[in-house]
Amino acid sequence: MYLLVALFFTFSEAAFAQDKVDLEMVHKIKNEGIGNSQIQDLSFHLTDYLGPRLSGSSNLKNAREWTAEKFKEWGLSNVRIDSYGDFGRGWDVKKSYIAMKDPYYAQVIGYPKAWTDGTDGLVESEVTLLEITSEEDFDKYRGKLKGKVVITPANLNSDPAFEAEASRLTDEQLEARKTVSIGGGGGRYTPEMLAQLRAQRALDQKLTQFLLEEGVALRLTGTRGNFGTVFHTRAGSFSTDKLPTVPEMEIASEHHGRIYRLLKNGYPVKIEAEIQVEWLDDDYKGYNVLAEIPGTDKNLKPELVLLGGHLDSWHAGTGGNDNAAGVVVMMEAIRILKALDYQPKRTIRIALWGEEEQGLFGSRGYVQKYVADRNSKEKKAEWDKISAYYNLDNGSGKIRGIYLEGNDMLVPIFEKWFEPFHTMGAKTITTRNTGSTDHVAFDAVGVPGFQFIQDPIDYGRGYHTNMDVYERMQFPDMTQAAVIIASMVYHTAERAEKLPRKAWK
Amino acid sequence: MYLLVALFFTFSEAAFAQDKVDLEMVHKIKNEGIGNSQIQDLSFHLTDYLGPRLSGSSNLKNAREWTAEKFKEWGLSNVRIDSYGDFGRGWDVKKSYIAMKDPYYAQVIGYPKAWTDGTDGLVESEVTLLEITSEEDFDKYRGKLKGKVVITPANLNSDPAFEAEASRLTDEQLEARKTVSIGGGGGRYTPEMLAQLRAQRALDQKLTQFLLEEGVALRLTGTRGNFGTVFHTRAGSFSTDKLPTVPEMEIASEHHGRIYRLLKNGYPVKIEAEIQVEWLDDDYKGYNVLAEIPGTDKNLKPELVLLGGHLDSWHAGTGGNDNAAGVVVMMEAIRILKALDYQPKRTIRIALWGEEEQGLFGSRGYVQKYVADRNSKEKKAEWDKISAYYNLDNGSGKIRGIYLEGNDMLVPIFEKWFEPFHTMGAKTITTRNTGSTDHVAFDAVGVPGFQFIQDPIDYGRGYHTNMDVYERMQFPDMTQAAVIIASMVYHTAERAEKLPRKAWK
């Protein structure tokens, strides 16, 4: 492994003299990023001030307007809130309350599932435990559920945490991340497993329909997470032709467990609960926020270096690590470059994507509109203009390296560009892929798109939860990330050639 | 250290032939405890079914009745709910709700402080940040707080958990726990520090009075804990001559932080909240639940071996680790002995104490009533009859040893009695003291009272919180503890002599 690295270094210095690091600029970027950091103030505004930023919600609209205003304040050019096409129905929570009334009063930590319908005022009802494992089981409950609260079993883990919930990547882990395995890694579904999954899914859909027909007042679902942390999902769809669903709340695993065990042991449980929601039907479009430092080189200025992260979040925290962190770091990176009065050769564009959490809507919409159609393979105006898209969406842990998505040609270039940041812990260049976020939209059409390797800290403990908030964000780590990304963007913008590409398969 | 132990062993075998372990009885106890464990069912009933058991509350009354009934069902003798004297006012929560309305709707995880007054219906108000560090600061707010919600700053830690939250004691830690330090260990308060603490306390009391005079509608307080876990305290007093206080809620550190930061940055915050409580003024007495396996030896049957734990808990979880765990283990220990149809020489009495969390009321009341007056040093009927009191109140982690409270004479005896449990991880006999729970009431009057060394698991993460519930309880650990305690109680009940005592200083 070390031999391999040494080989690349030699290769790099011979063939990529153009990829020399501009240490004077790196020095300036570090000075501005560390000396005048806006990370903490931006983080406060993105989380506490703007609140949860669910796809299509009023808060997300506010966040678009606030970030666009901030870009204008910084003197960025071509600041615009750009529709990428259709998203669906917006949805705001106006009230949410749930408590157990019998066998004694007890508050329940619970949140409306995203895009659930509201309840018909305050629901007060005994809870029915639904144990449905086959079609026949529906008959046991038919005609008995009108106005009732129902709960389904869940297999939730409550083991104590004998391992630390937060960690940084060790040198060994980073080194291991460079290895690329060839061929199937096992773990695939057998036909029997697939059939079982399909059957369960069909039963789940039937249950949803059944509860609606029965006139159930409220459905309670347990989630993973513990000690009061609740992971979020959505209830049905945000699409404009969505059918009504039974109001549904996700409750803390401990409270789900308590209600489940009481019912299973034959003790009645009574719940009082209320959900008020507002559907936003005035605008079904989705948007990205875009802003630029215009290129100044006669030939290169139509070309682009993109950096970005997603502005939307789930709805019960304030999306601190997922992904106010990425948005703040990217905003700070472009702020640093602008504050240095840097005149790039290529145009630098920041993009704050909408609706990532519901399926990369913003970045895919942007690519579809400006870059290429990934189905027909039709290339559009920006396809051959984008040198790279840099993304940050794995929490607020510092950058330890970068995933190259199989692009071997980039190894020597990025090895070089990371050199000044070895002392900040960032040095691992891997050709591995990583998934699940907006760089995928670019990579899918053959345009270089990258996500960084980040220290996990306690990302897995809190992302997508009610507790993904300001307190989760690691400001010194984010400062490091902003400095590194500003430098990466600078070197990409100044490079004689666009970054080498993989073939678009 | 090992040399010392070896010395005691030799001494033990010579001088305490009477303290031979009865392996046949140990075998029977293990068989019953492991084979027919009631730990899980008892834990379910103590937590989920009976709910939070705050001192003086309706649920605690229910818990007394339920446990007494269970003792009768098991065939124990002299089952009684015994008043130890006065406690104070009972208090039940009937409703609790809090959410942020502005700058956007967001649920807040918050609980009424114990014994707070309720609000006057639903409070809807802007929040005022009170920053009071000296007498003069009151003037800034005077006349401006009527009907308002107020919040005070707090210095709450939100660092990620790079250390595991759950652990077991290592051999090294257990060995270290045997060492006893002589003399002052430093860390004492200087006169300046004491003066500062007194000044802060005076200011806090003035603030409480000020808020009442101003007619504040609700006070919000941050607590330690994170990720949705809230630690509890009480608002003012449960005493019958208690003055009214401003309604007060303890909220999750992250939600406290958000409201604080918004206000500090000049953004208005609006809260809606409601607390309904019920004061229980029909009975100010406090109670313990007592039950026995009567002694059968002509001479020894008036003597007692006591085992117990406290039945009360804080009010927003269900007191799983603190201290349903101890109650369940002690109940199971006496159940095991009764199930074996064991006829002890001395009388075995289980005591489930009331009101421990508010200052060891139950155990101190029992001692005062039956054992001795710790002020006048007047001895009462049971003072020279109790051989030992065994207590469990450090969570549900298994027993790793026992604290002897400075009683050197017990080392060889307990070394012997623990021998059959070395293979279950329990072997550490230390003369060290441990505090903060009911054995202290006995030790204070010169009667042997003991708390066991227990694996901490994640006790510190959740005790006294909304998340101290069924899920926190480690059933295999509790089974081990019940078996060991049953054996300890057996050997104490059968021993020719009462256990040797320290002088009552």
Side-chain angles (χ1 to χ4, degrees):
Chain A
M1 185 49 68
Y2 281 109
L3 183 67
L4 187 71
V5 173
L7 188 73
F8 277 129
F9 263 59
T10 313
F11 178 57
S12 155
E13 280 167 37
F16 293 85
Q18 62 163 313
D19 293 312
K20 204 158 79 73
V21 175
D22 180 344
L23 285 178
E24 190 176 338
M25 188 61 176
V26 168
H27 176 73
K28 285 181 185 167
I29 287 171
K30 281 186 180 177
N31 267 1
E32 176 63 26
I34 297 168
N36 297 324
S37 175
Q38 301 296 307
I39 292 280
Q40 191 162 347
D41 182 68
L42 288 170
S43 296
F44 160 71
H45 281 94
L46 258 294
T47 57
D48 293 333
Y49 174 69
L50 291 166
R53 302 169 306 285
L54 187 71
S55 299
S57 68
S58 303
N59 285 352
L60 182 58
K61 182 167 184 286
N62 294 340
R64 289 192 296 263
E65 287 163 7
W66 189 89
T67 50
E69 208 48 52
K70 186 57 73 175
F71 289 146
K72 286 179 192 163
E73 191 186 296
W74 290 344
L76 299 186
S77 304
N78 297 323
V79 178
R80 57 207 185 278
I81 294 170
D82 185 62
S83 170
Y84 60 76
D86 285 339
F87 167 66
R89 299 182 83 188
W91 175 92
D92 290 345
V93 178
K94 307 309 276 185
K95 175 157 191 174
S96 174
Y97 165 71
I98 177 166
M100 198 165 78
K101 291 277 280 187
D102 284 333
Y104 47 84
Y105 184 86
Q107 293 171 252
V108 170
I109 296 177
Y111 299 87
K113 267 199 181 187
W115 289 281
T116 188
D117 284 311
T119 59
D120 187 11
L122 185 73
V123 172
E124 282 193 70
S125 159
E126 285 205 352
V127 184
T128 301
L129 173 61
L130 295 181
E131 295 185 291
I132 292 179
T133 55
S134 71
E135 297 268 345
E136 295 73 52
D137 291 329
F138 287 107
D139 293 337
K140 292 192 280 183
Y141 305 103
R142 205 177 304 279
K144 297 176 185 166
L145 301 179
K146 189 160 181 58
K148 287 276 172 59
V149 177
V150 301
I151 191 167
T152 42
N155 191 11
L156 302 170
N157 179 23
S158 59
D159 291 346
F162 286 105
E163 302 283 329
E165 290 182 332
S167 65
R168 293 189 178 280
L169 293 167
T170 64
D171 286 344
E172 289 73 18
Q173 288 171 321
L174 285 166
E175 203 53 35
R177 207 158 289 203
K178 288 188 194 168
T179 62
V180 178
S181 60
I182 296 169
R188 299 210 185 135
Y189 289 112
T190 62
E192 291 73 22
M193 287 160 77
L194 282 173
Q196 204 179 350
L197 282 172
R198 269 193 297 267
Q200 186 59 49
R201 199 193 164 102
L203 205 62
D204 289 348
Q205 283 169 347
K206 200 155 283 182
L207 177 60
T208 302
Q209 189 56 30
F210 176 73
L211 298 181
L212 194 67
E213 288 164 7
E214 290 286 313
V216 164
L218 178 66
R219 178 180 184 175
L220 303 180
T221 313
T223 88
R224 67 198 182 88
N226 59 19
F227 280 100
T229 303
V230 175
F231 281 78
H232 297 302
T233 56
R234 67 184 192 225
S237 158
F238 40 75
S239 78
T240 50
D241 56 359
K242 163 182 189 289
L243 296 170
T245 57
V246 162
E248 189 165 359
M249 267 192 184
E250 289 171 315
I251 63 177
S253 64
E254 290 90 348
H255 295 147
H256 177 277
R258 192 189 310 180
I259 295 167
Y260 170 78
R261 288 186 296 270
L262 284 166
L263 294 171
K264 193 73 185 166
N265 282 276
Y267 298 111
V269 175
K270 201 169 177 183
I271 285 283
E272 63 177 13
E274 183 169 6
I275 306 173
Q276 290 175 24
V277 302
E278 187 175 338
W279 292 97
L280 308 173
D281 286 317
D282 55 329
D283 184 2
Y284 295 135
K285 287 203 286 294
Y287 298 88
N288 301 313
V289 182
L290 308 175
E292 291 167 11
I293 304 177
T296 54
D297 180 273
K298 188 163 50 86
N299 298 317
L300 299 181
K301 67 184 178 184
E303 294 188 3
L304 291 162
V305 183
L306 294 179
L307 69 164
H310 69 85
L311 193 54
D312 65 304
S313 75
W314 284 93
H315 59 297
T318 53
N321 268 342
D322 191 10
N323 190 22
V327 167
V328 166
V329 166
M330 292 307 189
M331 288 180 77
E332 176 72 354
I334 202 167
R335 185 200 68 75
I336 291 169
L337 294 173
K338 183 66 189 169
L340 296 176
D341 209 16
Y342 162 53
Q343 311 282 321
K345 286 183 179 158
R346 291 184 178 79
T347 295
I348 295 168
R349 181 181 295 162
I350 187 168
L352 306 182
W353 311 116
E355 289 74 28
E356 188 266 359
E357 294 292 0
Q358 308 310 324
L360 314 187
F361 277 77
S363 54
R364 283 189 176 149
Y366 177 96
V367 166
Q368 174 67 30
K369 186 173 175 182
Y370 298 114
V371 186
D373 184 309
R374 67 177 166 146
N375 298 315
S376 72
K377 299 196 113 187
E378 178 204 350
K379 294 171 185 170
K380 302 190 179 180
E382 292 184 6
W383 188 85
D384 60 4
K385 295 199 169 50
I386 300 172
S387 179
Y389 168 63
Y390 297 107
N391 189 72
L392 204 72
D393 185 22
N394 286 184
S396 60
K398 69 181 174 188
I399 288 177
R400 306 302 302 276
I402 192 165
Y403 297 100
L404 298 190
E405 305 294 324
N407 186 332
D408 297 291
M409 299 74 80
L410 286 172
V411 174
I413 303 170
F414 283 12
E415 291 278 7
K416 202 80 199 159
W417 290 356
F418 267 78
E419 275 179 18
F421 303 107
H422 286 194
T423 54
M424 287 182 167
K427 62 178 182 189
T428 302
I429 313 299
T430 176
T431 56
R432 273 199 197 178
N433 298 326
T434 188
S436 303
T437 185
D438 294 299
H439 72 286
V440 166
F442 291 86
D443 187 67
V445 297
V447 172
F450 308 106
Q451 162 68 35
F452 293 87
I453 301 173
Q454 296 179 251
D455 270 339
I457 317 291
D458 53 6
Y459 186 69
R461 169 77 171 84
Y463 86 113
H464 292 194
T465 75
N466 58 334
M467 284 295 141
D468 186 13
V469 293
Y470 176 91
E471 277 76 3
R472 301 290 89 79
M473 299 170 82
Q474 306 303 314
F475 303 129
D477 286 52
M478 292 167 69
T479 298
Q480 181 255 29
V483 163
I484 291 175
I485 289 168
S487 175
M488 295 289 286
V489 167
Y490 165 80
H491 285 96
T492 312
E494 294 301 300
R495 194 171 189 270
E497 306 287 327
K498 288 202 300 288
L499 291 179
R501 292 188 176 189
K502 303 183 288 185
W504 182 12
K505 284 180 293 209
Chain B
M1 184 50 67
Y2 282 108
L3 183 67
L4 187 70
V5 174
L7 188 72
F8 276 129
F9 264 59
T10 314
F11 179 57
S12 156
E13 279 167 37
F16 294 84
Q18 62 163 313
D19 292 312
K20 205 159 77 73
V21 175
D22 180 343
L23 285 178
E24 190 177 337
M25 188 61 175
V26 168
H27 176 72
K28 285 181 186 168
I29 287 171
K30 281 187 180 176
N31 268 0
E32 176 63 26
I34 296 168
N36 298 323
S37 175
Q38 301 297 308
I39 292 281
Q40 193 163 344
D41 183 68
L42 289 170
S43 296
F44 161 72
H45 280 94
L46 259 293
T47 57
D48 293 333
Y49 173 69
L50 291 166
R53 302 169 305 285
L54 187 72
S55 299
S57 68
S58 302
N59 285 352
L60 182 59
K61 182 167 183 287
N62 294 340
R64 290 191 297 263
E65 288 163 6
W66 189 88
T67 50
E69 207 49 51
K70 185 58 73 175
F71 289 146
K72 285 179 192 162
E73 191 186 297
W74 290 344
L76 299 186
S77 304
N78 297 324
V79 178
R80 57 209 185 277
I81 294 170
D82 185 62
S83 170
Y84 58 77
D86 285 340
F87 167 67
R89 300 181 82 188
W91 175 92
D92 290 344
V93 178
K94 306 310 275 186
K95 174 157 190 173
S96 175
Y97 166 71
I98 177 165
M100 198 165 78
K101 291 278 280 186
D102 285 333
Y104 47 84
Y105 185 86
Q107 290 170 253
V108 170
I109 296 178
Y111 299 87
K113 266 199 180 186
W115 290 281
T116 188
D117 283 310
T119 59
D120 187 10
L122 185 74
V123 172
E124 284 193 68
S125 158
E126 285 206 350
V127 184
T128 301
L129 172 62
L130 296 180
E131 295 185 291
I132 292 178
T133 55
S134 71
E135 297 267 346
E136 296 72 50
D137 291 329
F138 287 107
D139 292 337
K140 291 191 282 182
Y141 305 103
R142 205 178 305 278
K144 298 176 185 166
L145 301 179
K146 188 159 182 56
K148 286 276 172 57
V149 177
V150 301
I151 191 167
T152 43
N155 191 11
L156 303 170
N157 180 22
S158 58
D159 290 345
F162 286 105
E163 301 284 328
E165 288 181 335
S167 66
R168 294 190 178 279
L169 294 166
T170 63
D171 286 344
E172 289 73 19
Q173 288 171 321
L174 286 166
E175 202 55 37
R177 207 158 288 201
K178 289 187 192 168
T179 61
V180 178
S181 59
I182 297 169
R188 300 213 183 132
Y189 289 112
T190 62
E192 292 73 20
M193 287 160 76
L194 281 173
Q196 204 179 350
L197 281 173
R198 270 193 297 267
Q200 185 59 49
R201 197 192 163 102
L203 205 62
D204 289 347
Q205 283 169 347
K206 201 155 284 184
L207 178 60
T208 302
Q209 189 56 30
F210 175 72
L211 298 182
L212 195 66
E213 287 164 8
E214 290 287 311
V216 163
L218 178 66
R219 177 179 183 176
L220 303 181
T221 313
T223 89
R224 67 196 181 89
N226 59 20
F227 280 100
T229 303
V230 175
F231 280 79
H232 297 301
T233 55
R234 67 183 192 226
S237 159
F238 41 77
S239 77
T240 50
D241 56 359
K242 163 183 189 287
L243 297 170
T245 56
V246 162
E248 189 165 359
M249 268 193 184
E250 288 171 314
I251 63 177
S253 65
E254 290 89 348
H255 295 147
H256 178 277
R258 192 189 310 182
I259 296 167
Y260 170 77
R261 289 186 297 270
L262 283 167
L263 294 170
K264 193 74 185 166
N265 282 275
Y267 298 112
V269 175
K270 201 170 177 183
I271 286 284
E272 63 176 14
E274 183 170 7
I275 306 174
Q276 289 175 25
V277 302
E278 186 176 337
W279 292 96
L280 308 173
D281 286 318
D282 56 330
D283 183 2
Y284 296 135
K285 289 203 285 295
Y287 298 87
N288 301 313
V289 182
L290 308 174
E292 292 166 11
I293 304 178
T296 53
D297 181 273
K298 186 162 51 87
N299 298 316
L300 298 181
K301 68 183 179 185
E303 293 186 3
L304 291 162
V305 183
L306 294 179
L307 69 164
H310 69 85
L311 192 55
D312 65 305
S313 74
W314 284 93
H315 58 299
T318 52
N321 267 343
D322 190 9
N323 189 23
V327 166
V328 166
V329 166
M330 292 308 190
M331 289 180 76
E332 176 72 353
I334 203 167
R335 185 199 67 75
I336 291 169
L337 294 173
K338 182 67 189 168
L340 296 175
D341 209 16
Y342 162 53
Q343 311 282 322
K345 287 183 177 157
R346 292 183 178 80
T347 295
I348 295 169
R349 180 181 295 162
I350 186 168
L352 306 182
W353 310 116
E355 290 73 29
E356 188 266 1
E357 294 293 1
Q358 308 309 325
L360 314 187
F361 277 78
S363 53
R364 282 188 177 150
Y366 177 96
V367 166
Q368 174 67 31
K369 185 172 175 183
Y370 298 113
V371 186
D373 183 310
R374 69 178 166 147
N375 298 315
S376 71
K377 298 195 116 189
E378 177 204 351
K379 293 170 185 169
K380 303 191 178 178
E382 292 184 7
W383 188 85
D384 61 5
K385 296 201 168 50
I386 300 172
S387 179
Y389 168 63
Y390 296 107
N391 189 73
L392 204 72
D393 186 20
N394 286 184
S396 60
K398 69 181 174 187
I399 288 177
R400 306 301 302 276
I402 192 165
Y403 297 100
L404 298 190
E405 305 294 324
N407 186 331
D408 298 291
M409 298 74 79
L410 286 172
V411 174
I413 303 170
F414 282 11
E415 291 280 7
K416 202 81 198 155
W417 290 356
F418 267 79
E419 274 178 19
F421 303 106
H422 287 194
T423 54
M424 286 182 168
K427 62 178 182 191
T428 302
I429 312 300
T430 177
T431 57
R432 273 199 197 177
N433 298 325
T434 188
S436 302
T437 185
D438 294 300
H439 71 286
V440 167
F442 291 86
D443 187 68
V445 297
V447 172
F450 309 106
Q451 162 68 34
F452 293 86
I453 302 172
Q454 295 179 253
D455 269 339
I457 317 291
D458 52 7
Y459 186 69
R461 170 76 171 83
Y463 86 112
H464 292 193
T465 76
N466 59 333
M467 284 294 140
D468 187 13
V469 294
Y470 177 90
E471 276 76 1
R472 302 289 90 78
M473 299 169 81
Q474 307 303 313
F475 303 129
D477 287 52
M478 292 166 69
T479 298
Q480 182 255 29
V483 163
I484 292 175
I485 289 167
S487 175
M488 296 288 286
V489 166
Y490 165 80
H491 286 96
T492 312
E494 294 301 301
R495 193 171 189 271
E497 306 287 326
K498 288 202 299 288
L499 290 179
R501 292 188 177 190
K502 303 183 289 185
W504 182 11
K505 283 179 295 206

